[in-house]
Amino acid sequence: MQPHLKRAFIILVLVIIGFLFVRSFIVPESFGQYGWYRGDSVAELRDIPVGYAGSASCSGINNECHKTTYSIWVDSRHKTVNCETCHGPSEKHVIDTRVMPEPANDTREFCGLCHFKRAARPADFPQIDPETHGENLKCAYCHNPHKPWFL
Amino acid sequence: MDLSRREFTKFGCRIIIGAAAGATIVESIATLGVAQEESSNKEYDWNEHLWGYVVDTRKCIGCGRCANACKLENEVPFDEPVYRTWIERYRIVREGTEESVKIDSPDGGIKGFAEDIPAEEIKKAFYVPKICNHCDNPPCVQVCPVGATYKTEDGVILVDYNYCIGCRYCIQGCPYGARYFNNEKRTADKCTWCYHRITKGLLPACVQACPVGARKFGDLKDPESEINKILDKERINVLKADLGTKPKVYYVGLDREVR
Amino acid sequence: MAVENLVWGYIYPNEIEIQWSVLIVLYPYITGLVAGAFIASSLYHVFGKREIKPVARFALLTALSFLLVATMPLLTHLGHPERGIEIMFTPHLTSAMSGFGYIYSFYLIVVVLEIWLSFREDIVKNALKCKGWKKQMYSALALYSYDISGKALHDDEKLAKKLAIIGIPSAAFLHGYVGFIFGGIKANPWWSTPLMPIIFLMSAIVSGIALLILLYIAASKLRKKVLNYETLFSLAHYLWVFLILDVALELLEIISMKYESLEEIEIIDRLLSEKIATTFYGVQLTMGIFIPFVLLILVMVMKNREQLKTLMIAVSSIFVVIGVFAMRWNVVIGGQEISKSLSGTNTYVPVFFSQEGVLPAIIILTIPFIILLVLTYILPPWKDMDEDID
């Protein structure tokens, strides 16, 4: 081989080796642990803190904090509606009761998200005419959000 | 300054040997690290699960609490038009003899759906919740050039936010529009079925938020699970079955207009 | 807000933002120019078409200057440009995009070596002749080895030819795979077609030859030298041949789409008639293909009148270069303007000043010309143009 070709060839080989060398540092250690991805990322994604604690953490299993509200709620028509669906994510409040969750939205529009008359809703779902029902008062004036038929 | 051939080669050899030695050392340190890692994944064994999702479109009331809960739970930019889950409204409208399909999803349904077509004109209307299908044959994972998105052993498609380069090829590759670009992280992002919740025994935020049980989540490997009961009993369908993506979100009562 | 006017029908909520901007239009356009220019130079280096010789080395330099910027639009577009190198470190081989790093690097090596070999004689002569920093530069370029004996040059030429032979498939591969990036996306009916790689390749060759013609004419005018008409007409001839292949494939795609009338035909029709009507029928087909096609036929049948013919070739080439850009636009932007729900369309509104705006696109598109200027200063390819062939 001609000397200049040999030199060009050596440079090429050096570049490739340099590349492999750099690669061996930079590719994360856990890459390929389970598949063609960074194995550590699974643990990272699992460790994200939870925001919604679930109704069971308000009372019942672990504590008795909201015993009254909870007990009327569990056998109301609203038992399928999670506390946090109206009250917002409350895990922080569960861990530390000094952190208060945002107050529940008690506007007509909020109840209306579920209850205003809409053509696309299943017909058997209880719906009301937003214009006429309840004389434009807040819903909680007549209904208890935790047990709609408390009156 | 004519570098002699000898010197040239000698210099080259030195670099090669140095590099090789360095690489070996780094490699051995790397393997040590992996061995210690294993133990932290003990309490949850992903080989025991295969997650699945059932949507009953006949029950959905379009309240949007699922999409709302999702954004709050997963810190999805709230005021940007990006959604891990959303609700579509389909209305088949009759004008005279003409029929047309009107589809919309204002703000992903988070703020509810206003009634803007007179009730008499609507022949049929329903809501369809949408979410990442966590395909068994996921095109988004197929197209990711660096391995920043992957399918876990329990069947969930995840994005590695610390590795994604932000090329957005996966967003193009997803037939369901389930992926979006997260402007805060500058990476692709998508529904994880709340992987941080389901691996702790909780339900995904959207499922927990649904007041009518239109969304169900469970383990396909557990024959007693609620979703397996539904799958055994109901006639189910998946979205865009012809694309061969094998979705794991199963729909009950899916209309032909839904795409 | 204004968003409502841009959207027609229903698009998935996540589709409001168009992900791939004008920069991604630029990327296949630039790699196309590279592939085309390289293949034009191979006409001489591999197929021994001597009438191409005056521009063969010039074409290589053109290919290199565009190749050097081919990564720029991509890197600018990434959400995390600093992680871009992962595509080389951990390429996920099921992805059409993952090959980019390796195919690109391989091709870069081939082009650089090819240029080095074909200019080595000049480099060595300069190294021996020049003084000061120039001497240093040329000596470094010669790798401090100054053998330009007949035997050495002969070996170089043999190797160069081998490289050029490898270069053609890798140029085709580089660009065919860019087509596959789009053609392999089953989610998008406007992209998903097996013809995509080959359409991309043909339009790449067309645009590369057209660019070469334009640069050749410009270089001759700037240097106040006469054009070699034989070279020019033969380039024009190749342009015409590849135009035929190009238009045949592009029409085949549209016709079979319309004929088969699958589920997506309604939205495709809407795309073609409302969204990209001007850029598709107007710029891509009429201006980019039919007008040059007719002009080039005229060039071939006309006798004498070199001035007029040169003008016609120049006009055709300009139209082709614009038309191919429109083609890339129609694919990349057009494909994103239809919703994957197949029931609505969105509109791409280019912004000027932004990371993915028109301004960076313009900057990126001017850089190759600056690089070419520098390259031709270091390695002037002019003597091929000036000496008479035959």
Side-chain angles (χ1 to χ4, degrees):
Chain A
M1 210 197 284
Q2 298 284 343
H4 62 275
L5 293 182
K6 210 176 270 175
R7 285 180 187 188
F9 182 71
I10 289 171
I11 290 178
L12 192 61
V13 171
L14 285 182
V15 168
I16 292 171
I17 289 174
F19 168 78
L20 292 176
F21 183 60
V22 175
R23 181 188 183 278
S24 69
F25 284 93
I26 296 196
V27 172
E29 292 164 16
S30 68
F31 201 93
Q33 193 180 352
Y34 309 117
W36 199 257
Y37 56 92
R38 211 167 51 92
D40 285 355
S41 84
V42 180
E44 283 167 24
L45 289 166
R46 281 179 49 190
D47 291 344
I48 296 173
V50 164
Y52 281 86
S55 300
S57 27
C58 307
S59 183
I61 301 170
N62 299 327
N63 59 58
E64 303 274 280
C65 297
H66 293 290
K67 197 172 169 197
T68 345
T69 321
Y70 190 85
S71 61
I72 60 167
W73 170 80
V74 270
D75 36 47
S76 75
R77 291 289 295 268
H78 261 173
K79 63 178 173 298
T80 55
V81 188
N82 234 285
C83 308
E84 285 163 304
T85 305
C86 298
H87 284 284
S90 308
E91 171 78 11
K92 289 205 183 87
H93 169 67
V94 171
I95 294 171
D96 178 0
T97 44
R98 279 169 303 182
V99 184
M100 290 308 282
E102 302 236 331
N105 189 338
D106 62 350
T107 57
R108 286 175 66 89
E109 281 62 39
F110 184 73
C111 302
L113 281 174
C114 293
H115 285 297
F116 285 171
K117 181 99 198 101
R118 293 283 178 259
R121 282 194 174 136
D124 56 356
F125 186 83
Q127 297 163 53
I128 51 140
D129 184 343
E131 308 295 324
T132 56
H133 185 90
E135 300 149 6
N136 240 339
L137 293 162
K138 279 191 176 173
C139 313
Y141 191 78
C142 301
H143 303 276
N144 182 340
H146 304 124
K147 192 176 179 80
W149 284 137
F150 210 51
L151 287 179
Chain B
M1 59 162 275
D2 192 345
L3 206 68
S4 87
R5 195 174 122 190
R6 238 186 92 116
E7 268 170 80
F8 194 84
T9 15
K10 222 161 110 190
F11 180 63
C13 286
R14 233 177 260 151
I15 289 188
I16 294 173
I17 294 166
T24 338
I25 292 165
V26 170
E27 209 89 8
S28 51
I29 293 172
T31 28
L32 264 178
V34 172
Q36 286 162 356
E37 211 72 41
E38 299 283 282
S39 53
S40 67
N41 273 349
K42 271 281 141 58
E43 71 279 10
Y44 170 81
D45 185 0
W46 61 4
N47 291 312
E48 285 167 10
H49 304 275
L50 183 65
W51 301 112
Y53 201 102
V54 170
V55 176
D56 192 338
T57 56
R58 300 168 307 184
K59 287 187 184 158
C60 179
I61 59 168
C63 64
R65 294 311 84 206
C66 44
N68 185 69
C70 174
K71 281 213 170 187
L72 294 175
E73 174 76 26
N74 296 296
E75 289 173 1
V76 179
F78 204 92
D79 297 316
E80 282 176 41
V82 292
Y83 307 87
R84 293 184 176 197
T85 181
W86 67 96
I87 304 104
E88 293 171 357
R89 170 170 64 178
Y90 287 74
R91 289 176 293 183
I92 289 115
V93 182
R94 192 187 282 136
E95 285 157 310
T97 50
E98 287 282 295
E99 268 185 19
S100 61
V101 189
K102 294 236 175 345
I103 317 172
D104 61 351
S105 179
D107 294 308
I110 289 188
K111 294 179 185 137
F113 293 82
E115 209 71 283
D116 49 6
I117 300 179
E120 342 37 289
E121 286 178 18
I122 300 178
K123 185 183 133 194
K124 181 162 82 171
F126 49 89
Y127 297 106
V128 180
K130 290 276 185 84
I131 189 168
C132 167
N133 284 283
H134 293 270
C135 307
D136 199 32
N137 179 17
C140 54
V141 172
Q142 184 187 34
V143 301
C144 176
V146 297
T149 184
Y150 52 91
K151 189 172 82 180
T152 59
E153 298 297 318
D154 42 2
V156 184
I157 314 297
L158 299 176
V159 178
D160 181 349
Y161 307 113
N162 294 322
Y163 207 66
C164 173
I165 59 176
C167 72
R168 299 163 228 193
Y169 197 17
C170 54
I171 303 177
Q172 308 289 0
C174 175
Y176 305 101
R179 281 177 171 257
Y180 60 90
F181 188 71
N182 187 327
N183 269 318
E184 286 162 11
K185 297 187 184 126
R186 305 290 299 154
T187 66
D189 206 347
K190 70 181 286 295
C191 160
T192 62
W193 271 348
C194 288
Y195 202 64
H196 58 297
R197 297 176 63 87
I198 61 175
T199 51
K200 291 172 190 137
L202 300 168
L203 284 173
C206 54
V207 176
Q208 184 172 308
C210 182
V212 290
R215 290 164 175 260
K216 300 278 182 202
F217 181 82
D219 192 345
L220 294 169
K221 277 191 180 165
D222 173 9
E224 296 303 307
S225 69
E226 194 183 1
I227 61 161
N228 262 332
K229 296 255 160 65
I230 301 174
L231 294 183
D232 290 347
K233 196 173 89 210
E234 301 285 351
R235 280 125 213 242
I236 51 157
N237 208 340
V238 293
L239 294 172
K240 301 192 184 180
D242 52 329
L243 293 180
T245 51
K246 305 208 182 102
K248 287 201 292 291
V249 173
Y250 304 100
Y251 281 84
V252 181
L254 198 64
D255 193 84
R256 65 171 173 157
E257 299 296 348
V258 179
R259 294 200 253 229
Chain C
M1 227 183 66
V3 171
E4 260 84 76
N5 306 328
L6 304 175
V7 177
W8 171 88
Y10 175 66
I11 64 171
Y12 290 132
N14 286 333
E15 287 177 330
I16 293 197
E17 200 183 327
I18 293 224
Q19 300 296 341
W20 282 359
S21 61
V22 61
L23 286 180
I24 303 294
V25 178
L26 217 55
Y27 160 63
Y29 186 57
I30 290 179
T31 52
L33 294 172
V34 174
F38 187 85
I39 286 176
S41 95
S42 310
L43 286 173
Y44 166 69
H45 283 119
V46 178
F47 302 108
K49 303 276 176 226
R50 294 201 60 81
E51 61 275 18
I52 306 292
K53 191 182 175 204
V55 290
R57 295 204 295 175
F58 183 56
L60 280 178
L61 294 180
T62 312
L64 181 63
S65 18
F66 278 87
L67 193 58
L68 288 176
V69 295
T71 52
M72 276 183 207
L74 289 183
L75 284 175
T76 322
H77 157 86
L78 288 186
H80 280 280
E82 80 282 4
R83 298 184 189 162
I85 191 71
E86 286 169 9
I87 213 167
M88 305 266 315
F89 287 160
T90 58
H92 186 228
L93 295 180
T94 58
S95 165
M97 205 182 268
S98 72
F100 174 75
Y102 283 94
I103 303 174
Y104 174 86
S105 318
F106 178 75
Y107 190 57
L108 184 67
I109 292 169
V110 170
V111 172
V112 167
L113 270 182
E114 178 88 22
I115 290 180
W116 185 63
L117 291 174
S118 49
F119 280 96
R120 211 178 66 85
E121 188 181 354
D122 303 359
I123 294 175
V124 171
K125 279 181 185 157
N126 275 325
L128 299 175
K129 189 177 68 190
C130 292
K131 297 245 148 38
W133 65 273
K134 273 192 171 177
K135 186 180 181 66
Q136 307 245 337
M137 179 183 73
Y138 283 112
S139 307
L141 281 178
L143 300 183
Y144 308 106
S145 165
Y146 309 103
D147 182 3
I148 46 170
S149 63
K151 163 119 189 14
L153 288 182
H154 180 70
D155 280 5
D156 283 1
E157 204 173 303
K158 272 209 316 221
L159 184 61
K161 183 164 179 184
K162 278 191 202 131
L163 278 174
I165 292 173
I166 303 171
I168 297 177
S170 46
F173 202 60
L174 176 69
H175 205 68
Y177 115 88
V178 176
F180 191 74
I181 287 186
F182 299 98
I185 292 296
K186 61 184 167 192
N188 191 322
W190 180 236
W191 289 349
S192 168
T193 150
L195 283 180
M196 199 58 98
I198 191 117
I199 292 181
F200 262 61
L201 187 57
M202 285 309 142
S203 48
I205 297 177
V206 166
S207 66
I209 298 179
L211 177 76
L212 187 61
I213 292 177
L214 288 176
L215 286 175
Y216 177 47
I217 295 177
S220 302
K221 287 275 172 296
L222 287 177
R223 291 167 52 248
K224 305 206 170 51
K225 293 276 158 62
V226 283
L227 280 163
N228 182 330
Y229 288 114
E230 201 189 334
T231 307
L232 187 66
F233 294 154
S234 126
L235 279 175
H237 180 77
Y238 287 114
L239 181 59
W240 183 77
V241 171
F242 284 112
L243 265 182
I244 298 178
L245 291 174
D246 188 28
V247 68
L249 288 168
E250 273 172 29
L251 290 182
L252 178 62
E253 192 209 327
I254 295 297
I255 290 169
S256 64
M257 233 179 223
K258 293 214 173 188
Y259 190 80
E260 288 183 3
S261 286
L262 296 174
E263 187 189 13
E264 62 262 18
I265 189 66
E266 274 173 44
I267 199 70
I268 300 267
D269 272 345
R270 193 170 181 98
L271 175 74
L272 286 176
S273 60
E274 309 240 320
K275 308 300 295 184
I276 56 170
T278 29
T279 47
F280 186 78
Y281 295 115
V283 186
Q284 181 182 337
L285 290 182
T286 312
M287 179 175 170
I289 295 180
F290 292 116
I291 296 178
F293 182 76
V294 172
L295 282 179
L296 291 174
I297 292 187
L298 288 180
V299 168
M300 279 181 279
V301 296
M302 265 197 301
K303 296 251 154 46
N304 302 326
R305 312 193 63 177
E306 262 72 24
Q307 287 289 329
L308 179 64
K309 287 203 301 196
T310 308
L311 183 69
M312 281 159 68
I313 293 175
V315 170
S316 321
S317 302
I318 292 174
F319 279 12
V320 165
V321 170
I322 296 173
V324 172
F325 185 81
M327 183 259 170
R328 308 288 190 245
W329 176 278
N330 292 334
V331 171
V332 177
I333 302 297
Q336 296 179 87
E337 285 190 336
I338 56 173
S339 166
K340 288 180 278 194
S341 67
L342 306 184
S343 29
T345 57
N346 196 359
T347 311
Y348 172 60
V349 188
V351 267
F352 195 79
F353 300 103
S354 93
Q355 192 194 333
E356 296 198 31
V358 179
L359 184 66
I362 293 174
I363 294 173
I364 289 174
L365 207 49
T366 43
I367 295 175
F369 295 99
I370 299 171
I371 298 181
L372 184 62
L373 213 61
V374 176
L375 280 180
T376 51
Y377 179 71
I378 302 173
L379 304 171
W382 312 126
K383 86 169 185 249
D384 320 353
M385 292 189 188
D386 301 340
E387 73 196 12
D388 237 347
I389 39 164
D390 73 32

